[in-house]
């Protein structure tokens, strides 16, 4: 079972268990390829239900300082599109249940070649894509992704009004990612009641599961928002754990991996409780 | 050259010029991009809007800018058998000292029409920042200008001007602290403040409708040139030449002539030389890619990571180019050449001494290429060069360059 089916199965299982899922973001290659692989491979047992793996890009325009810095650390230490796929392949050797979504910007995929990238990603064990700068109007990845049986996950924002929502969710698959604040990643947080009403509005347009992200940093926030969504996405908070556990020369301190996994455990426990 | 019925009907309704252009932005921005497009479509055909804009261009900006016959430069470059007659389109004489204000005036009126009460902009050389700060002062709208720290250092006079005009300057430290990085942070600000804020992009790049809108606001350069050269020479020019970073001064001059039998030459910055890798020649040494909301030619590596540009001129120091230029390059309607830092500095000195006109370092790239080719053109060849800005802002950079390279 791969791609959209693996994602659907994971959400069906979460529903059966009465749990809200945790989508855990980490940047491929941050702070270096070895530590990043160690983090990735241990995310599921720490409580990540779905993994959002960031493809580093030199100019991440929708991301805040934490993820920008994380992309730069990864690139400085040899990350590339090919190595990102290698990491996924390594992960799949031991885990065939946890969906992996690649998140990033279009240019590196365009340069790799859209069809070749989708084919190689599917072969490596990727299940879906979140491409920040491909709104529904720029649909050039949609067909190859659908044909490969993978999901193209669309973002909806507070600015996506009722008139526009049908356009955005028309081709959505896997789940819908609700960007809960107008802003970049890892900065401000939305009020829970605003999210609640936004999700009510969104559910009038789609039956897909909804994951809420942007600005969710603590177990308490995750638990509160998790009351209303099928999943919550946490990213910058994990990335900050890496940043805080580096030596002055940029190498990882001994506790770096554990620091990330501990926060994953805390947030996951908050969602289950 | 492939022959179309017209080169002037782009972009298509989704903002594409052939393969290039488009709207590659985050969903949060998409509704606002569509709103800007609707507002601009209305303004284009709104006589009252156009009349208000033209009034400000005439009485505030000082248009029309003169078309000046550069006689001493013409004579200096003349050979026994040839040498083009060189005209300067004097955008340096506009209020604020460059072509940038043409576009700022148009967009600030649009921002007002849309009811936005805050303006943000990116700037490289600071000319767009100064022009934005100026129109914001005029209309009493708070503005925030993103500028890379490298550019803040090398364009200090413009930083002071913007501050004096009441703008908030946000120094951008990411990347090399130049125009690309300033644009990233301006986009981040916009995403976070989308309800209140208008993003006043300074060049013919970014998501649709910006490339077409900025081109339209700058096209007054070419329209005036057309009328002025008819008056002075009784016919259209044989060639047009302009420098390009993002490409707004060039497209402003070129666009009204795209369907005429006029040779069009745009000059990129090749910095320390294309072979050194330290340059800003995205058409001559880049490849198609997607950045800052549009598909265009970009400086990038095999993995699709953007490479930092390099030019002594802050206004050309950008790893991309407007999508319409990418298309004109692709179909062969315009020629895209390049000039090094050293050549631009020499041309800057030549122009200053011969004509008593201190050009912007950006414009000096166009002068340098003119110096290269004018002597080989026939005697009756009429060439119009866009003097896109004045060089007061560049004194520190040029002094430092000369001390470094010609001790």
């Amino acid at each position: 079972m791969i791609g959209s089916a693996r994602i659907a199965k994971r959400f069906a299982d979460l529903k059966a268990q009465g749990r809200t899922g945790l989508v855990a973001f980490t940047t491929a290659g941050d702070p270096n390829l070895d530590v990043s692989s160690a983090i990735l491979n241990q995310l599921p047992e720490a409580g990540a239900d779905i993994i959002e793996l960031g493809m580093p890009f030199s100019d991440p325009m929708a991301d805040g300082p934490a993820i920008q810095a994380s992309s730069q650390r990864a690139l400085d230490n040899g990350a590339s599109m090919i190595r990102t796929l290698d990491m996924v392949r390594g992960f799949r050797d031991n885990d065939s249940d946890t969906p992996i979504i690649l998140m990033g910007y279009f240019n590196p995929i365009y340069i790799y070649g859209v069809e070749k990238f989708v084919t190689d990603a599917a072969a490596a064990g990727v299940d879906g894509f979140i491409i920040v700068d491909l709104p529904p109007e720029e649909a050039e990845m949609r067909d190859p992704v659908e044909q490969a049986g993978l999901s193209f996950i669309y973002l909806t924002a507070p600015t996506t009004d009722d008139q526009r929502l049908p356009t955005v969710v028309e081709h959505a698959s896997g789940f819908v990612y609700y960007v809960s604040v107008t802003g970049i990643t890892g900065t401000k947080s939305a009020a829970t009641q605003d999210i609640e009403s936004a999700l009510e509005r969104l559910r009038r347009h789609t039956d897909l599961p909804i994951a809420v992200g942007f600005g969710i940093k603590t177990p308490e926030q995750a638990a509160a928002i998790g009351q209303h969504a099928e999943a919550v996405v946490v990213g910058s908070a994990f990335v900050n754990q890496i940043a805080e556990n580096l030596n002055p020369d940029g190498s990882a301190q001994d506790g770096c991996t554990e620091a990330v996994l501990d926060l994953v455990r805390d947030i996951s426990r908050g969602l289950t409780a | 050259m492939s022959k179309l019925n017209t080169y002037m009907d782009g972009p298509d309704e989704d903002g594409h010029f052939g393969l290039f252009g488009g709207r590659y932005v985050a969903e949060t921005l998409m509704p606002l991009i569509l709103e800007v497009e609707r507002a601009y479509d209305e303004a284009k055909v709104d006589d009252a809007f156009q009349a208000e804009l033209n009034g400000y261009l005439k009485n505030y900006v000082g248009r029309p800018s003169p078309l000046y016959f550069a006689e001493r430069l013409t004579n200096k470059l003349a050979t026994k058998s040839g040498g083009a007659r060189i005209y300067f389109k004097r955008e340096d004489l506009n209020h604020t000292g460059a072509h940038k204000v043409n576009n700022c005036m148009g967009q600030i009126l649009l921002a007002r029409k849309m009811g936005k009460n805050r303006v943000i902009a990116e700037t490289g050389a600071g000319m767009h920042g100064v022009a934005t700060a100026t129109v914001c002062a005029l209309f009493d709208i708070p503005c925030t200008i993103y500028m890379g720290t490298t550019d803040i250092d090398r364009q200090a006079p413009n930083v002071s001007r913007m501050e004096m005009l009441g703008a908030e300057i946000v120094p951008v430290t990411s990347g090399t602290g130049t125009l690309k990085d300033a644009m990233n942070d301006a986009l981040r600000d916009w995403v976070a403040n989308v309800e209140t804020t208008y993003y006043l992009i300074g060049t013919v790049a970014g998501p649709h409708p910006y490339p077409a809108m900025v081109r339209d606001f700058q096209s007054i350069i070419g329209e005036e040139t057309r009328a002025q050269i008819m008056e002075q020479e009784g016919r259209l020019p044989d060639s047009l030449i302009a420098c390009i970073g993002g490409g707004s001064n060039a497209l402003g001059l070129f666009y009204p002539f795209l369907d005429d039998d006029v040779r069009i030459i745009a000059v990129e910055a090749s910095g320390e030389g294309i072979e050194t890798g330290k340059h800003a020649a995205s058409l001559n040494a880049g490849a198609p890619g997607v950045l800052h909301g549009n598909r265009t030619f970009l400086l990038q590596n095999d993995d699709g990571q953007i490479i930092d540009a390099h030019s002594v001129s802050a206004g050309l120091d950008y790893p991309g180019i407007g999508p319409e230029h990418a298309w004109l390059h692709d179909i062969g309607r315009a020629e895209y050449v390049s000039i090094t830092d050293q050549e631009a500095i020499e041309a800057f000195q030549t122009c200053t001494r011969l004509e008593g006109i201190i050009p912007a370092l950006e414009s000096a790239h166009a002068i340098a290429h003119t110096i290269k080719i004018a002597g080989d053109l026939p005697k009756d060849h009429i060439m119009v060069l866009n003097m896109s800005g004045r060089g007061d802002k560049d004194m520190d950079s040029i002094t430092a360059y000369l001390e470094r390279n010609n001790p």
Side-chain angles (χ1 to χ4, degrees), chain A residues 18 28 36 41 44 49 61 72 88 94 127 157 240 247 253 266:
Chain A
S36 184
N41 294 337
D49 299 294
M61 287 154 294
Q72 201 52 53
V88 176
N94 298 304
D127 303 298
N240 283 333
N247 294 310
Q253 293 173 0
D266 285 350

Side-chain angles (χ1 to χ4, degrees), chain A residues 212-230:
Chain A
V212 177
F214 278 47
I216 302 173
K217 296 164 190 163
T218 65
E220 294 73 27
Q221 285 172 325
I225 291 166
Q227 302 288 319
H228 309 286
E230 280 78 10

Side-chain angles (χ1 to χ4, degrees), chain B residues 71-141:
Chain B
E71 189 169 5
R72 292 195 70 211
L73 183 64
T74 294
N75 290 342
K76 163 128 177 137
L77 301 177
T79 56
K80 267 198 184 120
S81 55
R85 290 170 66 77
I86 299 159
Y87 283 83
F88 291 167
K89 178 61 174 164
R90 298 293 306 276
E91 292 298 301
D92 58 318
L93 293 178
N94 293 338
H95 179 44
T96 73
H99 70 288
K100 291 292 188 187
V101 70
N102 303 331
N103 164 52
C104 289
M105 195 52 87
Q107 286 198 54
I108 200 76
L109 295 181
L110 189 69
R112 273 161 56 93
K113 191 170 130 78
M114 291 174 70
K116 301 292 177 187
N117 56 25
R118 175 174 177 264
V119 162
I120 57 170
E122 81 297 336
T123 196
M127 297 313 281
H128 175 59
V130 167
T132 302
T134 298
V135 297
C136 285
L138 177 64
F139 292 107
D140 195 23
I141 298 176

Side-chain angles (χ1 to χ4, degrees), chain A residues 98-186:
Chain A
T98 308
I100 292 190
I101 314 295
L102 292 182
M103 176 270 174
Y105 296 81
F106 184 51
N107 195 56
I109 294 171
Y110 179 65
I111 297 307
Y112 194 107
V114 172
E115 296 204 357
K116 180 167 165 32
F117 184 72
V118 171
T119 306
D120 290 359
V126 168
D127 303 298
F129 303 91
I130 296 172
I131 309 301
V132 181
D133 51 357
L134 284 186
E137 283 79 359
E138 301 294 348
E140 52 207 284
M141 271 187 81
R142 195 169 69 205
D143 290 347
V145 168
E146 268 177 19
Q147 281 156 19
L150 308 190
S151 289
F152 194 92
I153 290 143
Y154 282 97
L155 305 173
T156 71
T159 51
T160 314
D161 59 20
D162 281 314
Q163 199 192 335
R164 181 168 167 75
L165 267 174
T167 312
V168 178
V169 299
E170 185 187 354
H171 296 279
S173 62
F175 58 94
V176 172
Y177 187 137
Y178 179 64
V179 174
S180 62
V181 296
T182 50
I184 51 181
T185 53

Side-chain angles (χ1 to χ4, degrees), chain A residues 17-38:
Chain A
Q17 295 161 22
R19 282 199 304 127
T20 300
L22 171 60
V23 180
F25 172 91
T26 190
T27 302
D30 175 30
N32 58 56
L33 294 162
D34 290 342
V35 173
S36 184
S37 291

Side-chain angles (χ1 to χ4, degrees), chain B residues 339-371:
Chain B
I339 281 294
T340 64
D341 289 347
Q342 180 69 29
E343 291 169 323
I345 297 269
E346 286 167 11
F348 171 93
Q349 293 170 302
T350 303
C351 178
T352 302
R353 293 290 173 89
L354 270 181
E355 293 289 352
I357 293 171
I358 301 179
L361 260 179
E362 291 77 18
S363 321
H365 285 72
I367 301 168
H369 192 72
T370 301
I371 291 172

